[in-house]
Amino acid sequence: MNKKLIFVYNANSGIWNSVLDTARKVLNPDTYSCKLCAVTHGLAGESKVWKNYRISSNIDMEFYHKDEFLKTFASKYLLRFEFPVVLFAENEELEVLISAKEFAKISSVEELIEMMQDRL
C-alpha cells in the first residue's frame, strides 16, 4: 500500500506570488488566505516545530501550491477540494484529512500536528 499526505497551500507558486503573500502576512494578516502557510511558516521560512515534525514523521508527505496541485491532479480531482487542504492518499485515492473550513479554526502548528495525529 502506498500511503502519503498531500498538503495543498491556498497560494500559487512563483517568486512574485511569494513576495505578495509575504507582504500580505506582514501588512494585513487577517486577509491572508492560506492558514496552512500561516501556521507552518513564519516570515523567516518554515517553523522549527513544523520542520522537526515533518522530518521525524513516518508518513510520506508531498507539498503543492494550489496551481501546481490543479495542474498535477486536474483531470481527476479538479473541482473537488477547497484550499488549503491536507489530503490522505492511499492507492491513488484521495480523502480530505483536514478541510479548508477546519483550517480556519487552527491557530498554531501544534494544533495542526495534533489534529493530523488524531486522524492518522
Side-chain angles (χ1 to χ4, degrees):
M1 280 188 211
N2 187 14
K3 296 179 183 178
K4 64 183 167 189
L5 293 178
I6 297 175
F7 296 80
V8 186
Y9 299 106
N10 190 26
N12 288 319
S13 61
I15 296 199
W16 181 242
N17 288 313
S18 179
V19 169
L20 289 174
D21 287 342
T22 300
R24 217 174 277 129
K25 269 188 204 177
V26 172
L27 300 173
N28 200 354
D30 293 340
T31 66
Y32 190 61
S33 63
C34 186
K35 200 66 176 273
L36 174 57
C37 301
V39 298
T40 61
H41 289 72
L43 295 177
E46 189 175 27
S47 82
K48 282 186 177 184
V49 171
W50 178 247
K51 185 174 185 176
N52 290 338
Y53 173 76
R54 187 178 52 72
I55 290 170
S56 66
S57 175
N58 61 354
I59 191 161
D60 289 338
M61 297 181 192
E62 290 181 7
F63 297 84
Y64 293 91
H65 289 91
K66 180 172 51 177
D67 60 324
E68 297 163 335
F69 176 83
L70 293 174
K71 193 181 300 179
T72 303
F73 295 92
S75 61
K76 196 169 182 181
Y77 304 104
L78 182 59
L79 300 173
R80 193 166 160 200
F81 305 110
E82 291 181 43
F83 306 109
V85 67
V86 178
L87 303 168
F88 179 73
E90 183 174 16
N91 300 326
E92 304 299 320
E93 293 296 320
L94 297 179
E95 291 184 31
V96 174
L97 187 72
I98 302 174
S99 70
K101 287 181 182 174
E102 291 172 306
F103 264 110
K105 299 173 186 166
I106 295 173
S107 61
S108 70
V109 70
E110 291 83 5
E111 284 181 55
L112 172 61
I113 291 168
E114 183 178 338
M115 187 179 287
M116 288 171 36
Q117 289 177 327
D118 288 347
R119 295 178 182 187
L120 292 174

